[in-house]
Amino acid sequence: MSVRPVDLRSDTVTRPTAGMRAAMATAEVGDDVFGDDPTVHRLQDRLAEMLGKEAALFVPSGTMSNQIGLRLHCQRGDELICEAQCHIFNYEQGGAAQLSAVSTRAVEGRYGVLELSQVAGLVRADDPHCTPTRLLCLENTHNRGGGRVLPLANVAELCRWAHEQGLATHLDGARLFNAVVASGISAASWAEHFDTVSVCFSKGLGAPVGSALAGPRDLIARAVRHRKVLGGGMRQAGIIAAGALYALEHQVDRLAEDHAHAQLLGEAVREIPELELRPAEVDTNIVIFHIAPEWGTSAQLHDRLAENGVLTHPFGPQLLRAVTHLDVTRSEIERACEILAHVIRAGASSAGQGTKATTGYA
Ligand SMILES: *Cc1c(COP(=O)(O)O)cnc(C)c1O
């Protein structure tokens, strides 16, 4: 008997639901590079409305959306400020430098949260020696921060400071809807602090492809040019936009289930003395925990779990991440909790050295 593994590697592994596939199969399409795909327009308009922005642009990936965002705000030689564990700094190949000649000032936060005192004073002088500081980027929820929901007051304070300093603000909201569901604060209330907001449809929302960048109409009009040169002009994109639109309409509220499942995993981790939640609280659908070196490494635990049908993602030599999503049921989560306890009790000794590289990108 072979049981399907409980796949907690990422919320990107979800397959389109039957309703989503049906919506995609029957989507009305046009050529979006000519601007005449009606489904893409419906998605863009719907998202802009949800975020309280004038316009939005559908793009193939969250990386492209962020890279277009920073390019809208920064010229060659400018600088952006971000949190040191964020996606833009760690998992986009240094795209700010590589694609746009923008340098990055990364400041280490606490589980993704920056304090105003850490950034106040970082804006460089108007001086020929210095690179002009132009942009503040935040990430919410914060992936390496363990799915942390940034405190709204903190976001408001940082963005107010940035705007007072003449900086633009960009939100990497790959999992913004997880923050919305966990906090009960609307997407528009989060988004109002930012000039541009990127969201992903292909994470917990469960669409197969796509992200979008929202902001003022004039910036989004310029974003169309950047998307084209980055290779993101798509033709009958309505087929995938229909999946994203279906996700916005039917698969936002259910993120609460993923959060409840992550709480169960968190409780299981708390009961195991060799493991420690990092951070100590689980806010959304991401659970990151530290493994006592006396037990073994994250690579070893990853392999032992995989042999027992639970897939996870090493996040550092002693850190492992598990992510809940719409393709894991409550009973599968309960099984994963039992297997975790069992594998820890059995010890790392039979595990070899572990084979998985430590990354943590998605
Ligand atoms: C996944 C992710 C992205 C974008 O990823 P793509 O794989 O390029 O769609 C951006 N930011 C964060 C925080 C993410 O988790």
Side-chain angles (χ1 to χ4, degrees):
M1 186 189 74
S2 90
V3 182
R4 142 183 119 138
V6 184
D7 193 344
L8 304 174
R9 286 174 299 168
S10 176
D11 47 8
T12 57
V13 302
T14 55
R15 317 283 163 85
T17 53
M20 182 180 283
R21 281 186 187 269
M24 296 173 73
T26 54
E28 225 188 314
V29 297
D31 185 330
D32 187 54
V33 173
F34 287 125
D36 62 11
D37 187 304
T39 307
V40 170
H41 282 286
R42 277 171 55 215
L43 170 66
Q44 291 174 166
D45 293 348
R46 179 84 185 100
L47 181 74
E49 183 196 323
M50 290 170 90
L51 295 178
K53 297 295 182 199
E54 287 176 358
L57 186 69
F58 187 48
V59 299
S61 71
T63 299
M64 188 181 289
S65 189
N66 281 332
Q67 291 300 321
I68 292 172
L70 67 89
R71 212 175 161 101
L72 287 172
H73 303 298
C74 301
Q75 305 289 313
R76 289 179 66 83
D78 289 347
E79 173 185 73
L80 66 82
I81 297 173
C82 65
E83 199 281 323
Q85 298 298 322
C86 76
H87 196 279
I88 288 176
F89 185 52
N90 291 284
Y91 303 128
E92 300 187 10
Q93 288 190 18
Q98 191 177 172
L99 301 171
S100 302
V102 168
S103 61
T104 302
R105 190 95 168 269
V107 183
E108 192 74 43
R110 182 165 166 72
Y111 295 117
V113 179
L114 284 178
E115 296 303 330
L116 181 58
S117 59
Q118 294 181 275
V119 294
L122 291 189
V123 176
R124 295 183 194 273
D126 179 9
D127 179 301
H129 295 86
C130 301
T131 171
T133 312
R134 296 285 189 213
L135 173 66
L136 173 71
C137 296
L138 300 181
E139 181 175 310
N140 194 19
T141 65
H142 199 289
N143 175 23
R144 287 197 67 91
R148 171 129 289 190
V149 179
L150 305 188
L152 182 63
N154 169 265
V155 168
E157 185 181 43
L158 288 169
C159 290
R160 192 180 322 116
W161 166 82
H163 289 139
E164 280 166 11
Q165 298 291 318
L167 311 187
T169 54
H170 171 78
L171 174 64
D172 178 354
R175 296 185 179 85
L176 179 62
F177 287 100
N178 293 88
V180 167
V181 169
S183 66
I185 296 163
S186 72
S189 296
W190 287 110
E192 69 178 349
H193 301 287
F194 297 91
D195 296 296
T196 52
V197 177
S198 171
V199 300
C200 290
F201 305 113
S202 57
K203 298 276 167 81
L205 293 182
V209 188
S211 292
L213 182 70
R217 199 175 304 287
D218 60 328
L219 285 189
I220 298 304
R222 280 172 47 213
V224 174
R225 285 187 61 78
H226 295 310
R227 180 183 66 175
K228 194 73 175 79
V229 77
L230 294 174
M234 300 182 284
R235 303 295 177 174
Q236 283 71 43
I239 292 174
I240 52 173
L245 193 55
Y246 184 91
L248 281 184
E249 283 167 0
H250 301 280
Q251 296 182 171
V252 173
D253 293 342
R254 65 148 308 285
L255 291 170
E257 250 173 76
D258 301 343
H259 299 172
H261 291 165
Q263 289 297 330
L264 293 179
L265 281 174
E267 282 161 30
V269 168
R270 275 194 200 100
E271 282 169 15
I272 300 171
E274 291 87 348
L275 305 180
E276 187 191 307
L277 282 175
R278 302 237 178 127
E281 300 299 326
V282 174
D283 280 0
T284 56
N285 69 329
I286 297 178
V287 181
I288 297 178
F289 53 90
H290 178 266
I291 300 137
E294 299 72 41
W295 186 90
T297 63
S298 63
Q300 289 174 310
L301 182 54
H302 165 275
D303 288 1
R304 293 291 290 125
L305 287 169
E307 289 159 20
N308 286 276
V310 177
L311 308 181
T312 57
H313 198 47
F315 237 50
Q318 300 301 135
L319 288 179
L320 205 61
R321 186 189 72 168
V323 185
T324 59
H325 52 77
L326 87 169
D327 280 1
V328 282
T329 63
R330 185 177 171 112
S331 69
E332 286 178 312
I333 290 293
E334 285 165 354
R335 190 165 89 233
C337 291
E338 282 164 22
I339 289 169
L340 178 62
H342 161 81
V343 157
I344 293 287
R345 270 196 310 275
S349 52
S350 59
Q353 288 312 297
T355 52
K356 192 82 162 60
T358 58
T359 52
Y361 36 79

